Amino acid sequence: MNAYPNNTSTVAASSMPRAHSNRSTSLQRCLAGALLAAAASIAAPPHTAHAEEMQSAPSFVDNFSNFDRSRWFVSDGWNNGNHQNCTWSKDLVRLSDGVLSLSFEKRKLKDREFACAEVQTKQRYGYGVYEARMKTDTGSGLNAAFFTYIGPQDKKPWDEIDFEVLTKNPTKVQVNSYIQGKPKNGKLVDVEGGADKGFNDYGFVWEKDRLRWYVNGKLVNEVTNPDELPTNPQKIFFSLWGSDKLTNWMGAFADPGRKVTMQVKRIAFTALGQPCQFPESLACSISNSN
């Protein structure tokens, strides 16, 4: 861990080498999903519907008292495709008073007129309880996301589990998953009081035989079809980005005229069978099927 000496700090990008491609975001459902899915099915190992075991990095809780560079990679200097109207910038990832902030602002960076922010874990995680406490902003054409992902650039099939607040309407959050690049289980669910009005708890419980999404401790979606369950360990991501192309999904993009920010107070992963790590954790109250 590396503690920051100042109250407010800019999080510098990791020195770990990184290709200019990472998570192919949910945009592909509108643009190039079919092509990526086909490529993944050809290039990646077969998708095993009932994996008996899954390797995983260990359980952790991060309250962002400091920025753990051994855990997090900061995306910087590229974008995820033509759908995205911003370039990832390390300068828009900041830590202050136990809150990790990711921002979006009008600032020309490379070939984009806007800059945006993303962090991702360096390790991959398997079956367990994933939960984040976060607050979003508002703005049409923006996506504030907490999700897990692995894909062809990691020589794996495209698997993904999502919470995505389309900030055109912060009273809702979209939950969904991707299996071999194909969207599954998409559902818009209520965020009581609004994702932008205060910090809310988003969590999912991923098991071999089912996947459950929770908002503020309430079950909002469940999947038990083995053909619609991810089976590959994934990295954990937070991102805030914009698009002026995915209007049917994210709304017409409008320059917010200010810096837009999402904030994260806590992220935790608790492996199945491990004790819960803090009193409010889903792992303390839900039952596991394994």
Side-chain angles (χ1 to χ4, degrees):
M1 291 186 178
N2 295 299
Y4 288 97
N6 300 321
N7 187 47
T8 301
S9 305
T10 299
V11 177
S14 165
S15 60
M16 181 180 72
R18 182 71 179 179
H20 283 199
S21 66
N22 68 9
R23 179 242 188 189
S24 300
T25 50
S26 296
L27 55 100
Q28 266 75 358
R29 72 183 62 142
C30 301
L31 297 177
L35 291 176
L36 281 179
S41 65
I42 294 172
H47 194 269
T48 304
H50 288 287
E52 291 301 323
E53 296 181 0
M54 182 183 295
Q55 292 184 342
S56 175
S59 302
F60 74 91
V61 179
D62 196 334
N63 291 303
F64 296 111
S65 57
N66 54 60
F67 192 78
D68 187 348
R69 298 174 190 276
S70 68
R71 174 173 294 130
W72 296 105
F73 172 83
V74 182
S75 300
D76 184 58
W78 71 89
N79 59 69
N80 284 357
N82 291 333
H83 65 284
Q84 189 174 312
N85 66 358
C86 56
T87 299
W88 302 127
S89 170
K90 67 180 184 296
D91 298 329
L92 292 179
V93 178
R94 299 182 69 84
L95 189 68
S96 177
D97 297 329
V99 176
L100 181 72
S101 296
L102 291 82
S103 298
F104 177 98
E105 67 178 7
K106 187 169 186 178
R107 172 161 55 90
K108 186 171 180 60
L109 191 58
K110 295 196 172 179
D111 62 343
R112 299 292 193 269
E113 296 299 320
F114 295 87
C116 50
E118 177 185 74
V119 298
Q120 57 186 276
T121 59
K122 296 178 180 179
Q123 292 185 293
R124 306 175 190 183
Y125 299 85
Y127 298 134
V129 181
Y130 296 72
E131 44 199 328
R133 184 165 179 78
M134 67 183 198
K135 178 182 179 181
T136 70
D137 210 320
T138 60
S140 186
L142 300 177
N143 185 325
F146 156 50
F147 62 97
T148 58
Y149 166 82
I150 203 71
Q153 69 272 18
D154 298 296
K155 298 182 179 180
K156 292 290 184 180
W158 173 1
D159 274 2
E160 184 173 340
I161 305 171
D162 295 328
F163 281 99
E164 295 175 292
V165 178
L166 308 178
T167 57
K168 65 179 181 179
N169 179 13
T171 68
K172 305 281 187 181
V173 61
Q174 180 169 314
V175 300
N176 51 261
S177 59
Y178 279 74
I179 309 300
Q180 288 195 319
K182 297 179 180 179
K184 304 285 185 181
N185 315 306
K187 184 179 181 181
L188 275 174
V189 300
D190 292 333
V191 180
E192 187 174 353
D196 61 323
K197 301 302 183 185
F199 283 89
N200 292 276
D201 294 305
Y202 304 89
F204 62 85
V205 183
W206 178 20
E207 303 167 87
K208 184 183 70 172
D209 297 319
R210 64 175 168 174
L211 176 60
R212 293 171 282 172
W213 288 262
Y214 292 80
V215 177
N216 293 323
K218 179 182 177 182
L219 180 65
V220 295
N221 200 22
E222 182 174 7
V223 176
T224 57
N225 183 342
D227 295 327
E228 297 184 356
L229 296 173
T231 59
N232 293 280
Q234 301 173 41
K235 299 175 184 177
I236 301 170
F237 287 72
F238 291 100
S239 66
L240 176 63
W241 58 280
S243 175
D244 51 15
K245 298 183 183 299
L246 304 180
T247 56
N248 289 340
W249 178 46
M250 291 170 56
F253 177 79
D255 182 353
R258 61 181 177 88
K259 180 183 286 188
V260 174
T261 300
M262 66 179 286
Q263 300 174 292
V264 185
K265 277 190 174 180
R266 180 176 60 220
I267 171 68
F269 166 74
T270 306
L272 292 182
Q274 296 296 309
C276 62
Q277 303 181 86
F278 54 96
E280 306 84 6
S281 175
L282 276 175
C284 302
S285 58
I286 56 94
S287 61
N288 298 329
S289 63
N290 66 334

